[in-house]
Amino acid sequence: MAKTSKFEAIVKAKCPRCRRGNIFSGSLYGLNLQTTNENCSHCGMRFEVEPGYFYGAMYVSYAFVVGEMLNVGLLTYLITGNDKSPWLYITAILLSILVLTPVNYRYSKVFLLHLLTPKIKYNPEYDTDDKIRNI
Ligand SMILES: [Zn+2]
């Protein structure tokens, strides 16, 4: 019975407690918009561990966006070299932010759940193929 690694659970946006259930329904870039599930379908953990918990994801998302803007700006500079037009940078940065919005939405919550909330702990006993509910 293989256990799920933390890395795999983060990449696949799985529940931080059992690493089996999906945090989101809907696909990242699908036509059905992704929504955050209330509870884990595998272990029953409530993802919004306290009222307003996911407001914290805004700060994570902010950090993501700043990093992406810096990287896209630098990349634009490296690719275009001498072009000094600010509109080139503004267009490239805004387009990348727009394209990456679903990624930021998903992974800001995943990072918050997996890495920034110490009270949520992985429990290997829940990481099984047997369906467990209401623990
Ligand atoms: Zn779970």
Side-chain angles (χ1 to χ4, degrees), residues 14-22 39-47 126 132:
K14 297 292 183 185
C15 166
R17 191 166 74 173
C18 65
R19 297 182 183 171
R20 292 290 176 124
N22 292 324
N39 295 85
C40 172
S41 60
H42 190 74
C43 73
M45 180 188 144
R46 189 173 156 76
F47 291 127
Y126 296 161
I132 36 167

Side-chain angles (χ1 to χ4, degrees), residues 93-107:
I93 287 170
L94 287 182
L95 271 179
S96 70
I97 295 303
L98 210 66
V99 168
L100 289 170
T101 296
V103 176
N104 292 333
Y105 173 81
R106 174 171 291 217
Y107 286 101

